[in-house]
Amino acid sequence: WFRVCEHHFYFCFWARCGLHRGEGCGSRNNCPENNREGGAQGAFGVLRRDKKERTHMGMTIAQKILKAHLVDGEMVVGQEIGLKIDQTLTQDATGTMAYLQFEAMGVDQVKTERSVAYIDHNTLQSGFENADDHKYIGSVAKKHGIYYSKAGNGICHQVHLERFGAPGKTLIGSDSHTPTGGGIGMLAFGAGGLDVAVAMGGGVYYIPMPKMVRVTLTGKLSPWVSAKDVILDVLRQMTVKGGVGKIVEYAGEGVKTLSVPERATITNMGAELGATTSIFPSDEATKKFLEAQGRGDVWVPLSSDPDAEYDEEYTVDLSALEPLAAMPHMPDNVKKVSEIGEIKVNQCCIGSCTNS
């Protein structure tokens, strides 16, 4: 990857000059490296060295956002890529360590467009430990330009979706259910605390380039069937390991029938697929949601290209879905409620990361 582009000799490296994005060397056609037999390998197979040139290949929503935020590497499945991160979030169960690591970097103010610290997990003050954590996180937020959401404001994923999320932006959070942001067309990743700290300091977030999965939604949900049943059906089809190293993208006419909170429920529980993240298009429903939040100015339309290619494809007929439940002891052990029969209920929890 240190191969030199002969047209610009020393100061234009293969991985840095942007040849794979058609930039950096002035234009794709002006660089002799691109005019060799077979051409240069593009980020999405634009030009390949197999003597079978392709002048265009459509992109998925995720690929478009990845390309717009790519700062290192090439978008070849399995290869490491570095991404610019627009926003970060933490919660109080993981935030303390993330902020200790951030402070150790010696950065005065966060370099992201928005970083938010949420107090929403360890809110029971059964001892001094949680209270001390909250006090520390609040002090870090005030000192370094981080938004602070106090206990009682709500669950981080839902609040961030409503108040800060934006289509086309990148978000990493120190919580596995951060992909909730995909409900409005945001590329949102669950990450480790150190990754979040590095991003707040202006550093790059590295991941292996994921595969692309399309889930086509058809029909419309029947009464008493919810978005939770949609993701349970996807889990039934893909299993808890089926999403590893993949971004799951939802498409089809059925998308239009789902509200943003319903979409967010689906992308949130995509974490149980093991997926890198999940994402929905940004459409008129997204626009209305953001306008209702007083943030219509951040809306942008986002959709996949008609000729975008996917590594895997699945279909969910919303009209045919029945109420589902995940049985012990895995989220992909999914059965119809009608098949499960009567179960004595000892405890009931209302409200969660997925259903907030």
Side-chain angles (χ1 to χ4, degrees):
W1 75 290
F2 267 110
R3 188 161 99 197
V4 177
C5 171
E6 297 160 2
H7 185 53
H8 287 278
F9 197 50
Y10 288 114
F11 41 92
C12 188
F13 292 105
W14 177 257
R16 301 293 186 181
C17 71
L19 284 173
H20 56 292
R21 299 189 297 277
E23 60 192 29
C25 283
S27 74
R28 189 181 302 277
N29 296 326
N30 288 340
C31 182
E33 190 67 43
N34 277 343
N35 290 329
R36 292 183 178 184
E37 186 177 30
Q41 182 169 340
F44 308 110
V46 176
L47 292 171
R48 298 185 178 182
R49 292 186 177 278
D50 56 5
K51 298 185 180 181
K52 183 181 179 181
E53 294 191 0
R54 300 186 65 176
T55 58
H56 173 75
M57 180 188 288
M59 289 187 287
T60 70
I61 299 170
Q63 287 171 337
K64 291 178 181 181
I65 301 175
L66 288 171
K67 182 180 180 182
H69 291 80
L70 187 69
V71 295
D72 193 11
E74 294 188 36
M75 293 175 60
V76 177
V77 171
Q79 293 191 16
E80 189 174 67
I81 57 173
L83 304 173
K84 175 185 179 294
I85 297 301
D86 299 315
Q87 299 183 4
T88 67
L89 69 79
T90 61
Q91 36 94 334
D92 48 323
T94 59
T96 300
M97 184 58 69
Y99 293 122
L100 285 169
Q101 292 165 331
F102 173 74
E103 288 202 299
M105 297 176 187
V107 179
D108 180 49
Q109 297 287 296
V110 292
K111 306 299 184 183
T112 52
E113 296 175 8
R114 179 81 71 239
S115 288
V116 188
Y118 293 92
I119 308 300
D120 65 347
H121 277 59
N122 296 331
T123 54
L124 290 177
Q125 305 302 325
S126 57
F128 65 88
E129 294 88 353
N130 289 343
D132 282 0
D133 279 351
H134 298 167
K135 190 77 172 178
Y136 168 68
I137 293 172
S139 68
V140 171
K142 186 175 182 179
K143 180 179 179 182
H144 296 289
I146 301 164
Y147 279 57
Y148 181 76
S149 178
K150 64 182 181 180
N153 276 359
I155 294 172
C156 57
H157 312 300
Q158 189 67 28
V159 175
H160 203 90
L161 186 80
E162 295 174 356
R163 307 310 311 148
F164 301 110
K169 297 291 186 178
T170 52
L171 164 71
I172 64 170
S174 57
D175 188 286
S176 61
H177 288 109
T178 303
T180 305
I184 56 171
M186 196 174 199
L187 206 56
F189 307 94
L194 181 57
D195 288 321
V196 176
V198 169
M200 288 191 292
V204 177
Y205 178 56
Y206 285 93
I207 60 170
M209 177 63 193
K211 294 181 179 180
M212 299 292 144
V213 176
R214 176 185 168 109
V215 177
T216 302
L217 304 180
T218 63
K220 183 179 181 180
L221 292 176
S222 303
W224 298 99
V225 181
S226 71
K228 182 68 173 281
D229 298 309
V230 177
I231 186 60
L232 286 176
D233 190 65
V234 175
L235 270 161
R236 180 187 60 80
Q237 295 188 56
M238 293 184 64
T239 78
V240 292
K241 295 183 178 180
V244 175
K246 304 167 188 175
I247 293 180
V248 180
E249 185 171 307
Y250 291 87
E253 289 300 309
V255 168
K256 298 177 182 178
T257 69
L258 299 175
S259 67
V260 166
E262 288 175 319
R263 299 175 187 186
T265 290
I266 294 168
T267 57
N268 177 292
M269 202 169 169
E272 274 62 53
L273 292 167
T276 303
T277 191
S278 303
I279 192 168
F280 272 83
S282 174
D283 54 15
E284 286 300 314
T286 315
K287 182 180 180 182
K288 290 179 180 178
F289 174 82
L290 290 169
E291 287 175 344
Q293 296 292 331
R295 301 196 303 117
D297 58 311
V298 304
W299 179 78
V300 294
L302 280 175
S303 61
S304 60
D305 293 329
D307 57 342
E309 294 186 359
Y310 296 84
D311 298 282
E312 298 175 21
E313 297 195 29
Y314 299 86
T315 300
V316 176
D317 182 355
L318 302 181
S319 301
L321 279 183
E322 297 181 27
L324 303 172
M327 302 292 287
H329 292 279
M330 295 293 285
D332 58 2
N333 185 18
V334 176
K335 297 184 182 300
K336 296 178 181 179
V337 171
S338 60
E339 298 173 348
I340 296 171
E342 296 183 0
I343 297 176
K344 181 182 178 181
V345 177
N346 299 111
Q347 295 182 353
C348 182
C349 174
I350 300 175
S352 67
C353 280
T354 306
N355 295 319
S356 58

